[in-house]
Amino acid sequence: SPRSPAGMLPLVAGFLLAVAAGARGSASGAQESPPGSRFVCTSLPLEATSAGCPLPPVPMQGGALPPEEELKATVLQLRETVLQQKETIGSQREAIRELTGKLSRCESTDGKSATGTWRSELGKGKDTMGDLPRDPAQVIDQLSRTMQTLKDRLESLEHQLRANVSYAALPNDLREMLQRRLGDLERQLLSKVAELEDEKSLLHNETSAHRQKTETALNALLERVSELEKGNSAFKSPDEFKVSLPLRTNYLYGKIKKTLPELYAFTVCLWLRSSASPGIGTPFSYAVPGQANEIVLIEWGNNPIELLINDKVAQLPLFISDGKWHHVCITWTTRDGMWEAFQDGEKLGTGENLAPWHPIKPGGVLILGQEQDTVGGRFDATQAFVGEMSQFNIWDRVLKTEDIMNIANCSTNMPGNIIPWVDNNVDVFGGATKWPVETCEERLLDL
């Protein structure tokens, strides 16, 4: 077997020193070596070469080759040996690197336990791999014991695994039942996912249709607002129109552009037609900051129709939910809170003490068809008016009974001096519409 690197170095050093000494002797004119002599390589310990001890020239024995040829052959052989030793050193380095890597992986995988096991088995508790016994028979014996130990542990693990599997094994029928159950659950899950996808698609389509309808309604409203802003009336006469509120919602309503001044008395008259049940809702409401029920006419649920002034209530003996046109007038004065109720030109009721000495506050919002919980908003669909209305007028005084009768029987046209019924003073929202109204005589025939 090739020598180890440590054993080879003294030989190489000694040979080089011998060659150097011979070369120096030739150069200085010393006597040449006799024929037949040859070089002898002697290994020296490292201590001698490191101390710089000179090597005496060794006489060469005679040979067949001249000294130069023999020296050249020796150099070639030495070079070949050096190359072999380099290859051996390289292979040994690769082996050492591989073993070091494996040992590092063993130590990183199992920590102290892994290294401790190998060291206790191979190194008898020592801490370095260099402490392995050098006797091959002893190494083989220790490896055999280690393999036997590992084999015993493996057999023990296999025995435990077989025992666990025997206890944990499931009968075939139970396994099949579980597989069928899992298949059923998977099919149910896929079916539910498909249903959810269908519902999502349907909801998206409905949302798109609703959005399109809303946009169409808004565009129509914008066009109508533009017409109103231009002051053009689509009717033959500015007051010959009606407002239609066909649904009980919280977004259909009309709004009077003008507001009220401070009032100490008023008369409100209007034509209306409704067959809503129960109750026609709120034909009109007037709200001011701090008081949403400043003036309200409402028929809500099964209650009789009521007039609210400053949130005070008076029940009116009116019956107007029969689906026919009716003319309604209400008068009020702050003096003693006196009020009167007229239906179709006839006074049906009167009373007093309705918010006496309370002046109607100015600057509020007048809404047709909805009851306001805040100024201009917060409508309640259950209190919405359903039907049609026209000729909504307000005066700042109590009209005489004969004036009210003449308005109701179409013998006079008397617009309100505070709020007149004209097209460009009424806006509609949320789908409420304006239509040409029947003539006063046609409304009378409907009574």
Side-chain angles (χ1 to χ4, degrees):
S1 62
R3 294 182 183 180
S4 64
M8 187 63 193
L9 290 176
L11 176 62
V12 175
F15 176 78
L16 293 177
L17 290 174
V19 171
R24 285 195 302 269
S26 272
S28 60
Q31 187 179 358
E32 294 183 0
S33 299
S37 63
R38 57 193 180 91
F39 292 98
V40 177
C41 297
T42 305
S43 63
L44 296 177
L46 286 174
E47 292 82 1
T49 57
S50 62
C53 180
L55 293 176
V58 179
M60 293 187 174
Q61 303 297 327
L65 295 175
E68 292 83 5
E69 295 295 330
E70 188 173 357
L71 178 60
K72 196 178 294 183
T74 304
V75 169
L76 290 175
Q77 184 179 4
L78 179 60
R79 185 178 299 169
E80 210 174 331
T81 304
V82 170
L83 291 176
Q84 291 177 359
Q85 291 295 331
K86 283 185 178 180
E87 292 177 359
T88 303
I89 291 172
S91 63
Q92 289 178 351
R93 283 179 178 175
E94 291 296 325
I96 290 172
R97 190 178 296 111
E98 181 179 358
L99 290 174
T100 304
K102 291 181 178 180
L103 179 59
S104 300
R105 288 196 298 271
C106 290
E107 291 178 345
S108 63
T109 303
D110 200 17
K112 295 183 179 179
S113 61
T115 56
T117 301
W118 284 100
R119 287 171 180 169
S120 62
E121 293 292 338
L122 299 178
K124 295 300 182 181
K126 297 182 180 180
D127 292 334
T128 60
M129 295 296 292
D131 292 330
L132 292 175
R134 297 184 179 275
D135 186 4
Q138 188 176 0
V139 172
I140 293 173
D141 183 62
Q142 289 179 349
L143 289 174
S144 299
R145 287 198 301 270
T146 302
M147 294 297 295
Q148 185 62 38
T149 301
L150 294 175
K151 183 178 180 182
D152 295 340
R153 293 176 61 186
L154 180 61
E155 290 177 353
S156 175
L157 290 173
E158 290 176 348
H159 178 71
Q160 294 179 4
L161 180 62
R162 284 195 299 271
N164 293 337
V165 169
S166 63
Y167 283 116
L170 296 174
N172 290 333
D173 55 349
L174 180 58
R175 187 181 297 107
E176 292 175 358
M177 182 185 70
L178 289 175
Q179 289 178 352
R180 287 196 303 271
R181 183 60 177 166
L182 288 174
D184 293 338
L185 291 175
E186 184 178 4
R187 284 190 292 274
Q188 293 176 10
L189 179 60
L190 292 176
S191 175
K192 188 62 177 177
V193 169
E195 291 177 4
L196 290 175
E197 290 292 339
D198 293 340
E199 291 178 1
K200 179 181 177 182
S201 177
L202 181 61
L203 180 61
H204 180 267
N205 294 337
E206 291 178 354
T207 303
S208 299
H210 182 70
R211 185 185 299 112
Q212 186 175 2
K213 291 180 181 178
T214 303
E215 290 177 353
T216 302
L218 288 176
N219 289 333
L221 289 173
L222 288 174
E223 292 176 0
R224 185 58 185 162
V225 168
S226 299
E227 293 177 0
L228 293 174
E229 289 177 347
K230 293 177 182 177
N232 298 328
S233 176
F235 309 106
K236 294 180 180 180
S237 178
D239 63 341
E240 292 182 358
F241 70 97
K242 63 182 176 182
V243 171
S244 177
L245 303 165
L247 301 175
R248 191 182 294 275
T249 70
N250 62 350
Y251 54 84
L252 271 73
Y253 66 99
K255 181 179 179 182
I256 305 298
K257 291 183 180 180
K258 294 181 64 176
T259 187
L260 299 180
E262 186 176 42
L263 297 176
Y264 297 92
F266 65 79
T267 298
V268 178
C269 292
L270 72 158
W271 285 89
L272 55 81
R273 176 168 64 181
S274 175
S275 58
S277 178
I280 64 171
T282 308
F284 73 91
S285 63
Y286 176 70
V288 296
Q291 179 54 268
N293 296 326
E294 188 70 2
I295 307 174
V296 180
L297 181 66
I298 184 172
E299 185 181 41
W300 184 27
N302 295 319
N303 300 319
I305 192 164
E306 296 175 338
L307 174 65
L308 281 69
I309 304 292
N310 192 28
D311 214 20
K312 307 301 186 293
V313 182
Q315 294 184 348
L316 309 182
L318 303 178
F319 307 94
I320 52 178
S321 59
D322 56 359
K324 298 180 179 181
W325 279 109
H326 292 282
H327 186 261
V328 174
C329 280
I330 298 164
T331 69
W332 174 86
T333 176
T334 186
R335 183 175 181 179
D336 295 328
M338 296 288 297
W339 60 269
E340 297 173 313
F342 295 82
Q343 180 175 329
D344 302 323
E346 181 182 357
K347 183 189 295 186
L348 298 184
T350 185
E352 60 181 10
N353 203 31
L354 178 59
W357 315 110
H358 170 78
I360 302 299
K361 296 178 182 177
V365 175
L366 193 56
I367 296 293
L368 302 178
Q370 296 284 353
E371 193 273 332
Q372 307 172 63
D373 285 338
T374 60
V375 177
R378 261 180 63 183
F379 305 142
D380 185 350
T382 62
Q383 298 174 341
F385 173 80
V386 182
E388 299 173 327
M389 66 177 67
S390 182
Q391 299 298 322
F392 179 82
N393 292 276
I394 300 180
W395 296 263
D396 60 358
R397 65 187 186 275
V398 175
L399 293 184
K400 297 177 181 179
T401 303
E402 52 269 26
D403 292 334
I404 294 175
M405 187 175 295
N406 291 332
I407 295 173
N409 61 24
C410 302
S411 60
T412 183
N413 184 13
M414 189 175 166
N417 67 329
I418 299 298
I419 300 294
W421 181 254
V422 289
D423 184 15
N424 60 8
N425 191 38
V426 181
D427 288 338
V428 289
F429 300 92
T433 55
K434 291 181 180 181
W435 298 96
V437 68
E438 296 86 340
T439 64
C440 189
E441 289 75 16
E442 290 173 338
R443 294 195 296 268
L444 283 178
L445 294 175
D446 196 29
L447 296 177

